[in-house]
Amino acid sequence: MTENAQQQPSAPHTELPTQYAPADVEGPLYERWVERGYFEADAKSEKPPYTVVIPPPNVTGSLHLGHAFEHTLIDALTRRKRMQGFETLWQPGMDHAGIATQNVVERELGKEGKSRHDLGREAFVERVWQWKGESGGQISGQMRRLGDGVAWSRERFTMDEGLSQAVQTIFKRLYDDELIYRAERIINWCPRCLTAISDIEVEYQDDDGELVSMKYGEGDDTIVVATTRAETMLGDTAVAVHPDDERYRHLVGKQIRLPLTDRSIPVVADTHVDPAFGTGAVKVTPAHDPNDFEIGQRHGLPSLTIMDEHAVITAHGPFQGLDRLEARSAIVAALRAEGRIVAEKRPYAHSVGHCSRCKTTIEPRLSMQWWVKVGPLAKAAGDAVRDGRVKIHPQEMEKRYFDWVDNLHDWCISRQLWWGHRIPVWYGPNGEVVCVGPDDEAPTGEGWRQDTDVLDTWFSSGLWPFSTLGWPEQTESLAKFYPNSVLVTGYDILFFWVARMMMFGLYAMDGTPPFHTIALHGMVRDQFGKKMSKSFGNAVNPLDWMDKYGSDALRFTLARGANPGVDVPIGEAWVQGSRNFANKIWNATRFALMNGATVDGPVPDASQMSATDRWILSRLNSVVAEVDALYEDFQFAKLSDVLFHFAWDEVFNWYVELSKTTFMAGGEPAKVSGRVLGEVLDVTLRLLHPVVPFVTETLWTTLTGGESVVIAEWPEDSGFRDPAAEQEIRSLQSVITEVRRFRADQGLQPGQRVPARLTLDGTALAPHETAIRQLLRLQPEGDAFSATATLPVAGATVALDLSGTIDVVAERKRLAKDLAAAEKEKAQANAKLGNEAFLGKAPDNVVEKIRARLAKADEDIARIQTQLERLPQA
């Protein structure tokens, strides 16, 4: 630490403005950083690499608080590593966001009275690229506002040429390894987006529906089934019962009549059926239910598709052309007319899947799609964590990860969209199927056509840690910066994105995982812990808070709430508090510069320093060590709190205040303290920089004259500790704190001077008498001094003469009234807690509140009694 200080150039001691104005500072500073190339990464560098990819925001998006939170954490990590001498790459870029982007552009076309089909595929895709060019840069500008130290020259987009080559390459390899295949299976279909979506893109919620029990068959061959989707009975091809269910043993193998149709369907025995649930019989609709599809496969049942892509009934008969919900009501009415309805339950709350993007109820649908065989890939992803190659932080999140990757179903990767990476498969006129890699020529000639589907967005973003570095080419960047050092992302996309990157990274990079550590954080919520949403009216545009309080204030608030894997509440008052902290740093540094703080020359030897100087340097080194340990454990909240209290409490409130007498006296002690204060500010500003980069840059360059704190050396613990000085200053703090508390209790004004006798001989506090008197407004005792209150603290005694300063009679009367109120509160709390009937009925949180009231009453009684004892006699 001392060496770093010695290497700094002499400070110019430029005078700082009286107030910090973030709006005047942040924009120009950021552009200077970018122009000087501080955030770029050199693949030829011999420095050790440190790589983090940005979780690519959707090109449709704008910066929300979740982005600001995540970016703040990543920026803090990468800024620190850059200062530690690593060749640091924070890789930026955006995701093409297939469904979301297509929906946006289709809405724009709708305003013109057109659809994508009016344009045709090529023209529509060109229109999307045009929209991306006009609107896609919005989030980049917002990232600059936040201070993101990303390597802008390396910015990538999941649809750019290099990443498209990576997508085609890995598809071809997986296809050739028989890990990608095409099959007809039940998928989640969105009738609004008109595409398949994966299981993790389905959001489940309890909806009020209906449960209808209906009778199939005739006479002795009657069987009752129940459903929440009566319309699907048109596609039933069997009724299933458990093979051991005696009630239906006589029906197994028989054909029974399916109502409202001209068909008969078999009764089959299948162990999937729970005989204890409902009637113990279930209708089987293989084309419209995943479980029914599996039953159908086991029993060779036909699959009848009865709805089109818009969820409109296509089955012949009176219900053809009805929407699924319209058909549901019509079919129940028709069954009721036939006397087939046994029971109806409305409302019936049950879990229903919705498209995560448009919130439409999804429809299970039998469809020919492309799939990834995830078994071997998921096993490799699980093994990489189990054998320690990849660490998940916090560790308790490992269980959620294993629960997912150990139970993965094959992944449906085809989407019925036009915007995205088109599946590189061609079909020939005679049934040929050819998968084309990036170096292959696509087949041409009459009858050849490319698959019309595109790939799931997560397919391309799953390649992000290596495709952004030039893979499949063996580039210098890939060799230098893969694998990533850490992935910082929300626990909510552990399954969406993280698992896919793990599977693809291990597969494509010969068993090398894409990152060493997965650091998971929680979600940003409002100050009451509620999810932020426009519909709830509590969503916040982070730009508003940055405009009002500065980017540093928002960043510090977010970092200070970032406990690993835990959701982060945030309110405007907290951002305002962080703005006050930035102002405190500014004002304290300004004061320090005006009073001789300097980084010129070496830090004086400990023998030349006062105990106050040695104390603050000892504490400084302890803080450096503590902050380093917390960074390595991704404890952003704790390290921010440590820095806040060290800077505000110990440096600005205590060291600066205790040193004022030294600075006022001048001479050699003032020069020593000026150099110590300069050292402390230099190191503190460097420690704070990764979280609050703008204010620290301005202050550090003014203090030190250095080029930029962005490229300054990260502080190191020099090992200097002085336990004796720390104990001495703790004693000094105890005296000052206790006397200040007593003065406040007696109603004395902060500036009111009081005669006092200090007995400090024989204690470590003797050298501090001048500072004690100045900070506590204690004047010499004088001839008429009368000790009306005596405070023994830390081995010293402070005797005060309060005669003439307070009305003792009035003060005793006031305190007696307060004491009576506290004793009454205690009695009421004890009465409730001693009432067994009350304790048996009251909720736990109510009981805890009463216990807290009792504890507070005890504290108040002890405090007031002490105040009364210390008052002089009337």
Side-chain angles (χ1 to χ4, degrees):
M1 186 173 65
T2 304
E3 288 180 5
N4 294 345
Q6 290 176 346
Q7 292 167 5
Q8 302 294 346
S10 298
H13 301 296
T14 305
E15 186 173 337
L16 289 166
T18 55
Q19 290 185 324
Y20 177 51
D24 298 337
V25 169
E26 293 174 354
L29 267 189
Y30 188 83
E31 291 309 314
R32 188 183 313 153
W33 291 336
V34 173
E35 288 168 7
R36 293 179 178 179
Y38 292 155
F39 306 139
E40 296 302 322
D42 183 4
K44 292 182 170 63
S45 168
E46 294 184 1
K47 296 178 183 177
Y50 187 82
T51 316
V52 186
V53 293
I54 194 171
N58 288 351
V59 68
T60 57
S62 60
L63 190 73
H64 55 65
L65 271 178
H67 287 125
F69 173 54
E70 187 168 76
H71 290 203
T72 294
L73 305 187
I74 300 174
D75 197 41
L77 290 175
T78 52
R79 283 179 182 269
R80 172 175 173 261
K81 286 297 182 181
R82 189 177 292 113
M83 295 172 75
Q84 286 182 314
F86 286 78
E87 192 63 33
T88 303
L89 170 60
W90 183 10
Q91 173 67 54
M94 288 182 287
D95 194 295
H96 66 279
I99 295 177
T101 305
Q102 180 157 320
N103 284 347
V104 168
V105 178
E106 287 198 77
R107 282 198 296 270
E108 293 297 314
L109 284 175
K111 295 176 184 176
E112 303 170 15
K114 297 178 182 178
S115 73
R116 61 182 165 119
H117 300 285
D118 294 323
L119 272 66
R121 185 168 191 144
E122 288 188 11
F124 175 77
V125 170
E126 182 58 37
R127 179 69 175 261
V128 181
W129 276 108
Q130 178 185 338
W131 176 89
K132 188 261 179 187
E134 294 169 355
S135 305
Q138 180 182 4
I139 202 164
S140 298
Q142 294 166 334
M143 288 166 61
R144 291 170 181 265
R145 281 291 312 279
L146 189 64
D148 287 3
V150 298
W152 287 112
S153 69
R154 292 173 172 266
E155 186 175 12
R156 304 304 297 268
F157 179 54
T158 51
M159 285 282 286
D160 69 27
E161 184 178 351
L163 271 66
S164 295
Q165 182 184 17
V167 168
Q168 197 173 353
T169 299
I170 202 160
F171 187 100
K172 170 70 171 171
R173 291 187 186 180
L174 289 164
Y175 181 87
D176 290 345
D177 287 344
E178 298 183 347
L179 292 172
I180 281 183
Y181 63 94
R182 191 169 185 245
E184 190 174 44
R185 290 187 176 182
I186 293 284
I187 48 92
N188 303 300
W189 181 264
C190 177
R192 160 63 182 79
C193 297
L194 298 180
T195 181
I197 60 176
S198 65
D199 291 343
I200 54 178
E201 294 169 298
V202 178
E203 294 178 347
Y204 288 90
Q205 65 185 47
D206 283 344
D207 288 356
D208 283 339
E210 60 183 359
L211 179 66
V212 179
S213 298
M214 48 197 181
K215 185 167 55 177
Y216 288 8
E218 307 290 348
D220 292 339
D221 293 345
T222 297
I223 194 165
V224 176
V225 297
T227 183
T228 57
R229 300 162 65 218
E231 70 279 8
T232 62
M233 60 86 59
L234 299 175
D236 286 359
T237 57
V239 171
V241 299
H242 194 277
D244 298 332
D245 196 332
E246 293 291 341
R247 293 171 295 175
Y248 304 116
R249 190 180 294 276
H250 68 288
L251 289 176
V252 174
K254 283 190 175 183
Q255 296 282 324
I256 61 173
R257 178 172 173 261
L258 180 66
L260 307 182
T261 72
D262 295 327
R263 294 190 290 116
S264 292
I265 59 176
V267 178
V268 300
D270 196 282
T271 54
H272 171 76
V273 180
D274 180 1
F277 183 77
T279 64
V282 297
K283 59 191 287 297
V284 182
T285 320
H288 292 277
D289 183 274
N291 293 322
D292 292 4
F293 178 77
E294 297 297 331
I295 293 175
Q297 292 289 296
R298 288 194 289 272
H299 296 276
L301 301 175
S303 297
L304 303 181
T305 299
I306 59 152
M307 294 182 212
D308 67 10
E309 59 185 7
H310 298 279
V312 171
I313 301 298
T314 57
H316 294 296
F319 312 107
Q320 187 174 7
L322 295 179
D323 173 79
R324 57 183 167 170
L325 299 181
E326 297 171 334
R328 183 174 300 172
S329 299
I331 287 171
V332 171
L335 289 167
R336 191 182 299 115
E338 285 194 5
R340 297 272 178 182
I341 299 298
V342 175
E344 297 178 69
K345 185 175 182 180
R346 297 189 188 88
Y348 177 73
H350 62 122
S351 183
V352 177
H354 296 261
C355 173
S356 62
R357 289 176 176 82
C358 71
K359 311 309 175 187
T360 301
T361 300
I362 62 102
E363 187 65 41
R365 186 168 187 252
L366 185 63
S367 180
M368 183 67 76
Q369 301 285 344
W370 285 94
W371 305 81
V372 172
K373 186 185 296 183
V374 299
L377 301 175
K379 182 181 182 304
D383 290 345
V385 174
R386 286 189 169 94
D387 64 23
R389 282 176 289 157
V390 177
K391 305 287 186 186
I392 294 181
H393 187 88
Q395 191 173 1
E396 54 265 29
M397 287 285 183
E398 283 187 2
K399 183 180 184 302
R400 296 181 65 179
Y401 177 79
F402 293 135
D403 286 346
W404 180 256
V405 297
D406 293 347
N407 297 285
L408 268 180
H409 299 295
D410 283 1
W411 172 20
C412 177
I413 56 172
S414 44
R415 300 290 180 267
Q416 290 64 56
L417 304 171
W418 286 356
W419 172 246
H421 295 100
R422 196 164 172 182
I423 289 176
V425 172
W426 272 253
Y427 305 106
N430 300 311
E432 302 96 333
V433 178
V434 176
C435 181
V436 176
D439 299 324
D440 301 331
E441 290 288 335
T444 56
E446 187 175 347
W448 283 93
R449 60 182 178 84
Q450 186 177 359
D451 196 299
T452 57
D453 289 351
V454 301
L455 289 162
D456 178 9
T457 300
W458 298 104
F459 190 95
S460 51
S461 59
L463 315 180
W464 192 247
F466 51 94
S467 63
T468 52
L469 298 173
W471 188 91
E473 301 298 325
Q474 297 304 306
T475 64
E476 286 183 325
S477 291
L478 187 65
K480 177 73 173 180
F481 297 112
Y482 186 91
N484 283 204
S485 305
V486 62
L487 173 73
V488 179
T489 192
Y491 63 70
D492 59 322
I493 57 173
L494 182 62
F495 316 131
F496 283 88
W497 189 43
V498 179
R500 280 150 174 70
M501 286 190 290
M502 287 285 283
M503 291 191 295
F504 282 164
L506 290 159
Y507 173 79
M509 299 301 293
D510 299 320
T512 302
F515 19 73
H516 297 302
T517 302
I518 302 167
L520 298 171
H521 59 71
M523 304 296 101
V524 177
R525 296 182 178 271
D526 72 11
Q527 59 189 331
F528 306 108
K530 189 175 181 180
K531 180 180 178 181
M532 284 192 172
S533 165
K534 289 181 181 178
S535 61
F536 294 155
N538 62 351
V540 174
N541 182 347
L543 293 177
D544 293 341
W545 282 351
M546 287 193 278
D547 289 341
K548 197 170 181 179
Y549 303 111
S551 298
D552 283 335
L554 176 63
R555 288 171 62 115
F556 193 71
T557 305
L558 291 166
R560 207 172 176 193
N563 291 297
V566 178
D567 288 347
V568 183
I570 184 172
E572 185 170 2
W574 303 341
V575 186
Q576 187 175 2
S578 294
R579 187 273 312 273
N580 295 343
F581 179 52
N583 288 343
K584 183 78 169 180
I585 301 170
W586 183 274
N587 293 334
T589 304
R590 186 170 177 271
F591 169 84
L593 288 171
M594 292 168 59
N595 285 273
T598 180
V599 296
D600 292 340
V603 175
D605 187 76
S607 61
Q608 300 175 269
M609 297 182 198
S610 67
T612 309
D613 294 332
R614 297 195 306 277
W615 160 71
I616 197 64
L617 285 180
S618 181
R619 288 291 304 127
L620 178 67
N621 279 283
S622 295
V623 167
V624 170
E626 187 174 3
V627 167
D628 272 333
L630 291 169
Y631 260 115
E632 295 304 314
D633 199 35
F634 306 101
Q635 297 282 356
F636 296 99
K638 290 182 179 178
L639 71 89
S640 298
D641 217 44
V642 166
L643 288 171
F644 173 86
H645 287 293
F646 175 70
W648 190 302
D649 298 341
E650 299 188 76
V651 179
F652 305 146
N653 280 359
W654 281 111
Y655 181 72
V656 169
E657 290 298 315
L658 290 171
S659 300
K660 280 182 179 178
T661 54
T662 303
F663 289 134
M664 290 172 63
E668 191 60 29
K671 291 181 181 179
V672 170
S673 290
R675 180 64 188 90
V676 170
L677 180 55
E679 176 76 1
V680 171
L681 287 174
D682 169 22
V683 173
T684 302
L685 291 171
R686 283 187 276 151
L687 289 173
L688 283 165
H689 173 73
V691 181
V692 284
F694 294 108
V695 67
T696 52
E697 171 78 343
T698 305
L699 295 175
W700 187 86
T701 52
T702 302
L703 171 71
T704 69
E707 179 183 340
S708 172
V709 71
V710 177
I711 54 172
E713 290 183 27
W714 181 253
E716 293 183 1
D717 176 9
S718 70
F720 176 79
R721 300 290 190 280
D722 193 326
E726 291 194 37
Q727 180 57 51
E728 182 174 328
I729 301 304
R730 278 197 296 271
S731 298
L732 176 60
Q733 291 169 332
S734 296
V735 170
I736 293 171
T737 301
E738 185 63 24
V739 175
R740 279 176 174 168
R741 184 183 295 119
F742 177 76
R743 287 177 57 110
D745 288 342
Q746 307 311 314
L748 296 174
Q749 294 299 315
Q752 188 172 354
R753 305 190 75 78
V754 177
R757 176 186 297 142
L758 304 184
T759 306
L760 306 176
D761 293 342
T763 74
L765 296 173
H768 302 285
E769 179 168 355
T770 302
I772 291 171
R773 287 188 177 279
Q774 183 170 329
L775 291 173
L776 291 174
R777 304 293 189 270
L778 303 180
Q779 63 190 39
E781 51 194 273
D783 295 336
F785 180 82
S786 174
T788 58
T790 303
L791 306 177
V793 188
T797 302
V798 180
L800 303 173
D801 182 355
L802 300 180
S803 56
T805 60
I806 59 173
D807 185 335
V808 176
V809 174
E811 187 64 15
R812 281 191 174 278
K813 186 175 180 180
R814 181 185 71 80
L815 289 173
K817 183 178 178 181
D818 291 346
L819 181 60
E823 287 173 337
K824 181 180 178 181
E825 174 76 358
K826 178 178 180 178
Q828 290 175 341
N830 273 326
K832 287 189 176 182
L833 293 173
N835 186 334
E836 293 297 331
F838 170 77
L839 293 175
K841 294 178 182 178
D844 290 345
N845 64 320
V846 172
V847 175
E848 284 304 314
K849 284 183 180 178
I850 294 171
R851 288 190 176 123
R853 283 170 50 193
L854 176 61
K856 175 68 165 53
D858 282 334
E859 289 177 8
D860 289 345
I861 291 169
R863 175 178 54 80
I864 296 168
Q865 287 175 337
T866 300
Q867 289 176 240
L868 284 167
E869 290 170 3
R870 288 175 171 176
L871 273 177
Q873 296 300 316

